[in-house]
Amino acid sequence: MSLVTTKGMFKRAYDGHYSIGAFNVDTLDTFKAVCEAAKEENSPVIIQITENVVKYFGPDYLMAIARTAAETGIEMALHLDHGRSVEACKACVDLGFTSVMIDASAYDFETNIKMTKEVVEYAHAHGVVVESELGSITGIEDDSTVEDKYGHFTHPDQVVEFVNRTGIDSLAVAIGTAHGAFKYKLDENPALRFDILEEIERKLPGFPLVLHGSSSVPKERLALVNQYGGKLQEAKGIPEDMLREASRRAVCKINVGTDLRVCWTGEVRKFFATFPEEFEIRKYTTPARNAVKDMVKDKMKNVFMSSGKAVVE
Ligand code: 13P
């Protein structure tokens, strides 16, 4: 099967009250781990790639790998994560990505609309779907200082105008998630603003929403890194039960990158600490790849509830 857009998978996820995992991959090994997980779980999957990762792979290698992966019989979209410019998004459309995100959320509302619209016009003309972001996903610590009830979260009063004027296919919302491994301190209680999510859902019935910054940062995975010489700060991620709740609602795409990196790093550190005399590359990439695959399978099955939902033609 060739690479697909997210249109069909989002429609089924919305109606079926589950979500699709969008996994950031950095190397061929994590790419393959995610694809094998999707195949074994029979789950739709979104492979997401940043501009730097496109450069790291090299565009030709990346596209060949993505097309080959899709042909193994998985329902897979190839997505540009956080495209920072209109040009970057257009370049990925030209390469053969089936979905792009333009992240102009740091700009004012009108500039965000203008940049997003330009990407939508180009992408749609090439059969590619577009995600854009409203609100600010990082900086959760600042909430208490903001007067407005919505602070830097996505303001429900803006979403209808934003979607209508841009023509986007999905909207990334800021409701309390954050990128990276240090989302919440150990003594903090992670809280997603389901009240804001509900308001947004009511205003955009049937429209797919996206959650960024949704790694759960499992305690035992952080501990493994630190047990074998790492120095990662203790922190909490987004609890799985909250991600399950979001999946049952209008959230159709959930982004995860940090968890895969922490998982991989812990396994490799453990291997080197246990077998310091080893230098055979596949000996330490194999357990790391298997651990990432198992983690992704678990998320598909138990958190996003997307196992068994792939439609492969
Ligand atoms: P995490 O850093 O929580 O894994 O989020 C990844 C992400 O949202 C990429 O856009």
Side-chain angles (χ1 to χ4, degrees):
M1 168 163 188
S2 3
L3 293 165
V4 295
T5 73
T6 52
K7 253 194 167 23
M9 53 176 96
F10 282 175
K11 169 89 179 80
R12 284 179 276 124
Y14 192 100
D15 294 343
H17 305 286
Y18 61 92
S19 64
I20 316 291
F23 299 96
N24 287 85
V25 300
D26 296 290
T27 65
L28 175 57
D29 278 298
T30 44
F31 201 130
K32 199 163 176 225
V34 174
C35 291
E36 285 181 356
K39 176 88 180 157
E40 288 175 26
E41 284 302 313
N42 194 22
S43 168
V45 70
I46 300 166
I47 293 282
Q48 54 183 13
I49 306 271
T50 60
E51 289 170 57
N52 284 335
V53 175
V54 176
K55 284 190 205 127
Y56 181 78
F57 273 88
D60 294 343
Y61 278 82
L62 175 67
M63 292 315 299
I65 292 161
R67 289 185 178 121
T68 302
E71 277 162 19
T72 65
I74 49 181
E75 186 186 12
M76 169 181 151
L78 183 66
H79 174 79
L80 171 68
D81 190 27
H82 291 285
R84 300 285 175 198
S85 65
V86 173
E87 293 67 37
C89 292
K90 286 183 177 176
C92 285
V93 169
D94 291 345
L95 272 179
F97 279 54
T98 52
S99 172
V100 293
M101 176 198 189
I102 171 73
D103 181 1
S105 60
Y107 296 97
D108 60 81
F109 188 64
E110 286 301 323
T111 310
N112 191 352
I113 288 183
K114 183 171 172 288
M115 288 171 69
T116 302
K117 202 163 171 251
E118 203 178 329
V119 172
V120 168
E121 278 162 12
Y122 190 81
H124 283 185
H126 292 79
V128 171
V129 292
V130 179
E131 171 187 325
S132 188
E133 177 179 325
L134 247 192
S136 164
I137 284 163
T138 48
I140 41 180
E141 313 77 43
D142 309 335
D143 292 352
S144 51
T145 62
V146 180
E147 297 273 309
D148 179 358
K149 166 185 170 197
Y150 297 103
H152 47 67
F153 295 129
T154 303
H155 206 302
D157 285 349
Q158 292 185 324
V159 296
V160 173
E161 184 181 352
F162 190 76
V163 168
N164 287 345
R165 285 178 60 195
T166 57
I168 51 170
D169 303 277
S170 60
L171 177 70
V173 293
I175 58 162
T177 59
H179 293 107
F182 314 108
K183 302 181 196 304
Y184 291 95
K185 297 186 191 101
L186 278 190
D187 58 359
E188 279 178 320
N189 281 330
L192 292 197
R193 292 290 302 270
F194 284 108
D195 57 326
I196 297 180
L197 183 65
E198 208 174 306
E199 281 188 66
I200 296 170
E201 283 170 0
R202 270 205 304 270
K203 289 183 187 278
L204 291 174
F207 195 79
L209 304 177
V210 177
L211 273 194
H212 280 245
S214 298
S215 279
S216 297
V217 198
K219 233 165 93 182
E220 60 285 2
R221 284 282 158 204
L222 268 191
L224 192 70
V225 172
N226 290 340
Q227 181 184 344
Y228 291 104
K231 284 199 165 46
L232 293 184
Q233 193 185 317
E234 299 266 10
K236 280 187 193 164
I238 310 299
E240 291 187 344
D241 56 350
M242 290 188 184
L243 296 175
R244 271 189 286 272
E245 173 65 16
S247 302
R248 281 186 216 105
R249 292 161 172 262
V251 171
C252 295
K253 172 174 179 274
I254 296 192
N255 288 10
V256 174
T258 297
D259 278 354
L260 277 57
R261 297 180 189 116
V262 172
C263 175
W264 176 275
T265 303
E267 291 294 329
V268 172
R269 278 192 174 279
K270 179 181 167 192
F271 181 90
F272 282 136
T274 315
F275 306 105
E277 72 289 356
E278 279 290 355
F279 62 94
E280 172 65 64
I281 294 175
R282 276 171 287 114
K283 285 212 173 146
Y284 59 86
T285 54
T286 301
R289 192 167 80 187
N290 288 341
V292 169
K293 179 165 101 175
D294 289 346
M295 171 185 262
V296 171
K297 285 177 70 170
D298 179 65
K299 285 181 190 288
M300 288 169 164
K301 194 172 176 165
N302 300 316
V303 185
F304 307 144
M305 299 166 289
S306 63
S307 293
K309 311 286 193 197
V311 174
V312 182
E313 277 134 28

